Amino acid sequence: MANIRENWIRPLFFYGTNRISLLGAALATSSALILIGFWVVDVLGRSGSNNPYLGIVFDLVLPGLFVLGLLLIPVGMWWRRRELRASSQIPSVYPQIDLGNPSLRHAIDFILVATFINFVIVGTATYRGVAYMDTVSFCGQTCHTMDPEWTAYQISSHSSVACTQCHIASGLPGYIHAKLNGTKQLLLEASQRYPRPITSDDKIPAASTTCLNCHNAEKFIGDKLQIKASYGDDEKNSATYSVVLMHVGGKDQFGRLSGIHGAHLGRIEYIATDTTHQTIPWVAKVESDGSTTEYLSSDVKSPPSGQKRLMDCIDCHNRAAHSFDTPEAVLNKAMAKGAPDPSLPFIHKQGLALMKASYSSRQEAISRITSGLEDFYRTQYPQIWSAQRSQIDRAGQTLAALYSRNVFPSMKVSWGTHPNNLGHNDYPGCFRCHDGSHNSKGGKSINNDCSVCHNLIATDDPTPKQLAALGIQ
Ligand code: HEC
Ligand code: HEC
Ligand code: HEC
Ligand code: HEC
Ligand code: HEC
């Protein structure tokens, strides 16, 4: 101990008394005290706030200042030593420090203990910083670039699943990959050079490393009844219904595969020519005996070059956690729930036109959608305007809310920016492969028969008797 004091501590004291090192010591000490205070409050469960900016201050900025403070101490020493050297003032013997002096000995012991504590603080802060960067509030709320996904996520069936559970593959390599990627994105964000709109760009980990941690791929689901209402552009907003029995299938208790899920449980590979996989000219089905059937789209002459991908859940359920709708779909769903009220004349036609118009900002959209609807009823239907004011107000607010959930002018996200692959009516979806023109050399094509995927029980029927029979209407 005495030796360490002689040979190390004395020069440290000597060089350490300079402005930079002292500033560093002050910075490190004060941020450490604040941090420890916050951690104590947090452990006692009293911080009580999930404001994302609080996390940035306490889990990223303060630890950063603390480390900066610690680094400034040796930097100051090095700088002082250089200065002294330049003016040949380096002493051969450091000013005598009397190690016999007990108060000085205590001070030195204090430094040794403080160094140990610093290690603990840096360790805790690193752990907390990394954990904090995995929270939903950091991923979804810190940067306004995530507004569209954050908004859609909160109303999805995955609103309690953390972003990282789908965006970071389980295991260390996935974690490191995600952090490197995240750092790049943070730099783009800071320099405002991020792309608008943001797309997934081939960066979504395979379902086997994410979705399948929670879902069982082989679960048997069987048939699922889907009922959709659509409203017309006439004065009465006439409703029609489509009733579809989806053959979702799966693997039954005897191990037999059936339906949509069953058909893709085998190995299917594809090549897409764009990063969001909307154009798929080449598909191959690999059988369990290793034989392969290749399907080539009649749009291309030869198989495209590009990375082969293994088809999984995400190729159909690409919008599982943050889905955006078309204006028609979102309005039909909302009217089926009663707001906007289908008893308002022409509400479907007017509502659609107001939502589809282009606005420069969300504020402008909200005020012009609500005022546009009011103007329409005030001028065209004065009686309705006075008799059904509350329905009109509510309709205006709902339309503005539906718009705000799907269109984000500042991020250049508009109706249709993020296609949903689960279907074929609004986006290519299933028909990226099942369009009837992906053919094998043997003349087989990927099935396009309506009934392999669903039974169309009723299509655009105003009064489907099947629904009446089920007691639904
Ligand atoms: C259930 C899984 C899941 C969860 C939870 C999830 N995502 Fe995603 N995310 C995806 C998939 C799958 C895609 C790819 C979408 C595509 O290619 O169309 C994606 C794409 C994205 C994109 C690219 C742009 C886009 O909309 O396609 C962003 C940004 C994004 N997610 C952010 C988030 C944020 C922020 C959260 C948490 C608030 C989150 N995600 C939670 C599965 C998920
Ligand atoms: C952390 C667990 C977890 C992960 C990871 C996860 N899910 Fe889910 N998923 C759930 C839960 C919980 C539900 C809701 C079940 C319910 O409401 O009955 C759900 C519901 C669903 C549904 C049915 C509801 C709907 O939105 O249509 C689909 C489809 C689905 N998940 C697909 C996926 C896909 C695809 C992925 C990967 C990109 C994924 N999930 C990742 C837990 C998870
Ligand atoms: C070929 C496309 C396709 C693939 C691949 C696919 N699904 Fe589905 N899945 C569907 C369709 C279509 C439905 C029915 C859609 C609906 O109900 O709106 C569905 C329904 C579901 C549901 C909801 C079932 C319910 O009871 O409501 C869950 C959960 C689900 N899929 C999970 C998965 C998981 C997990 C995977 C990957 C192992 C997967 N799916 C792969 C097309 C697919
Ligand atoms: C990446 C290409 C691709 C996409 C996208 C795709 N499929 Fe398939 N699908 C295939 C291939 C390949 C087969 C197997 C064909 C074979 O066995 O000859 C198949 C088979 C099927 C079958 C069984 C057909 C039969 O002849 O029995 C059903 C049902 C099916 N798919 C439904 C869907 C649905 C629903 C969607 C959209 C939600 C979808 N598929 C999206 C490639 C795709
Ligand atoms: C490869 C599978 C597949 C084939 C082939 C297919 N469909 Fe579909 N279809 C779907 C899926 C999946 C949905 C459900 C989309 C959803 O969940 O919103 C759907 C939905 C529908 C709906 C419901 C309305 C709507 O807007 O969702 C209609 C109508 C429909 N299909 C008509 C047809 C007709 C007609 C054919 C034949 C020419 C056909 N489909 C072929 C997979 C298929």
Side-chain angles (χ1 to χ4, degrees):
M1 204 55 158
N3 217 2
I4 293 179
R5 287 180 186 142
E6 281 293 335
N7 298 334
W8 284 94
I9 307 293
R10 237 193 299 160
L12 285 187
F13 261 104
F14 178 68
Y15 289 130
T17 40
N18 68 78
R19 277 186 211 164
I20 299 180
S21 301
L22 290 177
L23 176 77
L27 198 61
T29 318
S30 50
S31 40
L33 289 177
I34 302 176
L35 273 178
I36 293 172
F38 172 73
W39 291 340
V40 169
V41 174
D42 200 37
V43 166
L44 295 179
R46 294 285 160 77
S47 71
S49 163
N50 40 25
N51 179 338
Y53 298 105
L54 209 63
I56 294 192
V57 171
F58 283 104
D59 290 330
L60 301 178
V61 174
L62 273 176
L65 287 179
F66 176 71
V67 173
L68 179 73
L70 289 188
L71 289 177
L72 281 180
I73 299 175
V75 166
M77 292 174 161
W78 170 82
W79 177 75
R80 174 141 195 250
R81 180 155 180 262
R82 219 179 64 142
E83 246 192 356
L84 291 177
R85 265 207 180 153
S87 52
S88 333
Q89 287 184 41
I90 291 270
S92 54
V93 178
Y94 295 103
Q96 196 58 52
I97 293 175
D98 181 8
L99 290 174
N101 178 347
S103 63
L104 182 67
R105 275 217 313 268
H106 287 145
I108 291 169
D109 289 341
F110 171 78
I111 292 179
L112 292 176
V113 172
T115 308
F116 173 75
I117 293 176
N118 284 344
F119 272 111
V120 176
I121 294 179
V122 171
T124 312
T126 309
Y127 171 79
R128 287 186 55 110
V130 167
Y132 169 66
M133 285 192 285
D134 279 356
T135 60
V136 170
S137 90
F138 177 77
C139 301
Q141 281 180 287
T142 313
C143 307
H144 293 289
T145 47
M146 290 295 140
D147 246 10
E149 286 73 25
W150 171 246
T151 307
Y153 164 84
Q154 287 169 286
I155 51 167
S156 85
S157 46
H158 288 105
S159 57
S160 58
V161 174
C163 318
T164 48
Q165 294 195 278
C166 294
H167 283 281
I168 300 185
S170 34
L172 191 64
Y175 193 80
I176 292 172
H177 179 82
K179 287 299 157 216
L180 290 177
N181 219 341
T183 310
K184 201 175 96 196
Q185 285 163 10
L186 209 62
L187 294 176
L188 287 177
E189 170 91 25
S191 57
Q192 299 277 311
R193 281 188 302 122
Y194 50 83
R196 284 179 235 203
I198 293 179
T199 56
S200 50
D201 261 356
D202 284 335
K203 300 222 176 65
I204 305 296
S208 56
T209 63
T210 56
C211 321
L212 297 189
N213 291 335
C214 300
H215 291 281
N216 173 5
E218 299 186 340
K219 182 179 172 199
F220 185 74
I221 293 169
D223 286 347
K224 218 187 136 183
L225 194 67
Q226 258 196 20
I227 304 163
K228 281 190 187 170
S230 320
Y231 296 83
D233 278 346
D234 54 337
E235 186 176 27
K236 285 190 175 138
N237 312 300
S238 305
T240 56
Y241 300 86
S242 289
V243 183
V244 179
L245 190 66
M246 297 291 312
H247 304 313
V248 187
K251 191 179 199 172
D252 69 15
Q253 69 209 75
F254 306 108
R256 287 177 305 214
L257 299 178
S258 68
I260 301 168
H261 276 175
H264 303 88
L265 276 176
R267 190 178 175 86
I268 295 176
E269 292 171 348
Y270 68 88
I271 297 176
T273 50
D274 65 318
T275 54
T276 50
H277 310 170
Q278 291 303 297
T279 310
I280 301 183
W282 180 91
V283 183
K285 171 93 196 282
V286 185
E287 304 297 343
S288 44
D289 63 5
S291 65
T292 304
T293 316
E294 291 185 32
Y295 299 91
L296 193 63
S297 163
S298 57
D299 294 344
V300 296
K301 293 209 173 53
S302 57
S305 57
Q307 197 188 336
K308 279 187 194 166
R309 299 182 173 278
L310 193 61
M311 187 177 179
D312 66 22
C313 321
I314 299 166
D315 292 298
C316 297
H317 296 284
N318 65 325
R319 309 305 313 179
H322 26 70
S323 178
F324 303 101
D325 273 307
T326 61
E328 290 81 7
V330 81
L331 183 57
N332 284 333
K333 276 190 258 178
M335 285 177 67
K337 287 187 197 147
D341 192 328
S343 75
L344 293 169
F346 284 118
I347 183 67
H348 185 263
K349 187 176 178 201
Q350 288 304 317
L352 213 49
L354 286 168
M355 286 199 300
K356 280 182 171 178
S358 92
Y359 306 101
S360 60
S361 71
R362 176 175 298 181
Q363 274 68 30
E364 188 199 325
I366 292 174
S367 79
R368 283 184 48 198
I369 288 174
T370 46
S371 65
L373 198 70
E374 287 171 10
D375 289 348
F376 174 75
Y377 288 108
R378 198 174 45 232
T379 55
Q380 308 293 315
Y381 288 93
Q383 274 180 327
I384 303 268
W385 170 247
S386 51
Q388 287 183 272
R389 260 309 266 290
S390 66
Q391 278 104 316
I392 295 171
D393 284 349
R394 187 150 166 245
Q397 284 158 12
T398 309
L399 290 172
L402 298 177
Y403 173 94
S404 310
R405 245 189 253 157
N406 288 280
V407 182
F408 300 81
S410 63
M411 283 309 295
K412 295 200 163 59
V413 169
S414 187
W415 302 107
T417 301
H418 293 298
N420 189 330
N421 293 336
L422 203 70
H424 53 81
N425 291 308
D426 301 328
Y427 304 105
C430 313
F431 286 10
R432 289 172 298 161
C433 301
H434 288 267
D435 59 352
S437 63
H438 279 67
N439 306 310
S440 73
K441 287 211 178 76
K444 217 178 137 198
S445 68
I446 300 180
N447 211 327
N448 183 232
D449 179 356
C450 317
S451 64
V452 295
C453 298
H454 46 52
N455 280 4
L456 297 168
I457 295 172
T459 40
D460 296 328
D461 188 339
T463 50
K465 55 182 189 303
Q466 297 85 353
L467 285 190
L470 290 169
I472 291 176
Q473 222 181 8

